[in-house]
Amino acid sequence: LKRSSESVSGVSVMSQLRLMQRSLATRASHWLQAGSLSVPQHSTRLLAAPSLGLRGFCDKNKKVPSPVDIEVPTSWTEPEALFDFEKTHDDNTAELGERNRKWRDEQLAKDPNYFKRLAQGQSPKFLWIGCCDSRVAAENLVGGQPGEIFVHRNIANMVVATDANLRSVLQYAVDYLQVEHIIVCGHYDCGGVKAAVTSRDHSSPLESWLAHIRDVYRLHQEELDAILDVEERHKRLVELNVVEQCLNLFKTGDVQRRRVFTAQRPHKFAMTFPRIHGFVYSPSDGILRRLPIDFKSYVNRFSNVYNLYDTSAYLASVVDPSH
């Protein structure tokens, strides 16, 4: 460094040193609060210079002060339970801590081994792609239990090919968890769908996200414009959006490869997986409704565009059926 005003990654050297000091002070405070007047035995020595001026840090001719021994732990320490933390701190999350305690106690009362089983891992049959709306959590809608449903949520339950988050979830669910069913679930009174059809610039990145919903409207504009009632038009757009996202799922390489793999092994799989389903939920009555989707017609129309596999055909050239 030539001058003390220079910075690393936009943060001055002095700022970085201060952050290090605060971190070390916080750890030391935690040890003292835990009742330990000396540093833990399970620790290692880290040589760190005491508070240095930038001149001393940067000047080659100035002697650096002798380092001091700082003790840092070499093993993990379990964080404090939220319901215990809230007893001694004034925090707006106190209610969540108490609800966590109540829920945990109820589960243990019904089944003492409940959490031991959860700790053994997950093997869900379903991948659920839903909306972020706080009223439509997948487990709540179907009375699901932990470990039953692998969930991805975003605004308006979209399946966008360039969304690395969604595609990572899909790949993991299909290739590693090997889910048998993928559900796209929309809901009426969807804020994302409503925002997409309003004449307003919501600014990036939200505006870019909503553009995909407008594309759905464009594809089905004739049908939607013919619906006179605004609320009914909204509901139909919600449904059509779910259908289009299911089709977007169907044409992904992750889904196509897995469907070919399972279709070629009838001795191992009762049917072709994963199967894709479109649902819509109504917050006003709590009912999930199934949306019919003609995947076969879709394959017939667009197989040459998206290189879709027809699993009813002979596909030995794609993968080895003996595996």
Side-chain angles (χ1 to χ4, degrees):
L1 297 175
K2 296 180 180 179
R3 298 193 308 273
S4 62
S5 60
E6 292 184 358
S7 62
V8 179
S9 301
V11 181
S12 68
V13 175
M14 179 61 79
S15 296
Q16 294 184 54
L17 287 172
R18 287 171 179 165
L19 288 173
M20 291 172 60
Q21 289 174 337
R22 289 173 186 169
S23 176
L24 292 171
T26 300
R27 293 189 182 190
S29 175
H30 287 170
W31 292 336
L32 291 173
Q33 290 178 9
S36 175
L37 297 179
S38 59
V39 296
Q41 293 181 355
H42 56 286
S43 61
T44 186
R45 290 176 179 269
L46 172 68
L47 297 180
S51 179
L52 300 178
L54 285 177
R55 288 181 57 83
F57 187 84
C58 306
D59 191 346
K60 294 181 180 179
N61 299 320
K62 187 170 182 178
K63 184 179 179 181
V64 177
S66 300
V68 295
D69 289 343
I70 303 293
E71 300 286 351
V72 295
T74 58
S75 61
W76 171 76
T77 301
E78 186 176 65
E80 186 178 10
L82 183 61
F83 46 73
D84 287 334
F85 175 82
E86 302 304 347
K87 290 179 179 178
T88 56
H89 295 74
D90 182 16
D91 194 285
N92 293 329
T93 59
E95 178 187 356
L96 297 180
E98 189 54 38
R99 286 162 66 176
N100 170 243
R101 176 202 291 277
K102 181 179 178 182
W103 171 78
R104 177 178 177 273
D105 292 344
E106 289 174 352
Q107 300 306 316
L108 289 174
K110 290 185 289 187
D111 181 1
N113 296 318
Y114 181 80
F115 294 104
K116 291 181 180 179
R117 284 201 307 276
L118 286 185
Q120 294 175 359
Q122 62 171 336
S123 56
K125 290 173 56 178
F126 305 97
L127 166 60
W128 185 290
I129 300 173
C131 183
C132 291
D133 192 298
S134 59
R135 300 168 292 175
V136 296
E139 294 84 356
N140 293 346
L141 305 191
V142 298
Q145 296 297 318
E148 283 189 324
I149 307 174
F150 196 60
V151 179
H152 175 79
R153 300 173 70 179
N154 60 43
I155 293 178
N157 41 270
M158 302 297 291
V159 177
V160 179
T162 55
D163 180 6
N165 193 340
L166 178 279
R167 294 303 299 269
S168 298
V169 170
L170 179 63
Q171 180 186 6
Y172 185 77
V174 171
D175 291 348
Y176 297 94
L177 296 177
Q178 298 183 359
V179 296
E180 297 179 353
H181 303 274
I182 305 178
I183 296 161
V184 178
C185 184
H187 67 98
Y188 302 133
D189 194 35
C190 178
V193 172
K194 287 183 176 180
V197 296
T198 58
S199 299
R200 174 184 173 186
D201 182 1
H202 298 85
S203 73
S204 294
L206 180 58
E207 184 65 22
S208 300
W209 188 261
L210 297 178
H212 299 290
I213 305 174
R214 296 192 184 103
D215 288 340
V216 175
Y217 198 114
R218 174 177 55 81
L219 292 172
H220 301 276
Q221 184 171 6
E222 184 176 356
E223 176 185 352
L224 290 167
D225 286 349
I227 301 175
L228 301 180
D229 184 83
V230 175
E231 183 60 25
E232 290 183 359
R233 189 186 307 135
H234 161 75
K235 289 182 177 180
R236 185 54 182 155
L237 178 54
V238 166
E239 295 168 358
L240 290 170
N241 184 55
V242 170
V243 172
E244 289 297 329
Q245 305 320 309
C246 286
L247 296 177
N248 287 344
L249 264 178
F250 187 78
K251 66 192 182 189
T252 61
D254 303 295
V255 169
Q256 288 289 301
R257 283 190 296 270
R258 183 63 181 168
R259 286 180 61 83
V260 169
F261 183 88
T262 57
Q264 288 196 302
R265 294 160 177 79
H267 57 291
K268 292 184 178 180
F269 303 96
M271 59 184 70
T272 302
F273 294 119
R275 306 186 76 79
I276 298 174
H277 313 270
F279 293 168
V280 64
Y281 171 73
S282 174
S284 64
D285 61 17
I287 297 176
L288 271 177
R289 292 172 169 86
R290 175 184 173 275
L291 298 175
I293 304 174
D294 188 355
F295 288 105
K296 187 166 291 187
S297 173
Y298 186 76
V299 170
N300 292 336
R301 289 175 57 194
F302 300 111
S303 60
N304 61 327
V305 177
Y306 297 112
N307 294 319
L308 301 176
Y309 301 132
D310 182 357
T311 54
S312 63
Y314 181 69
L315 298 172
S317 60
V318 182
V319 291
D320 183 356
S322 64
H323 291 172

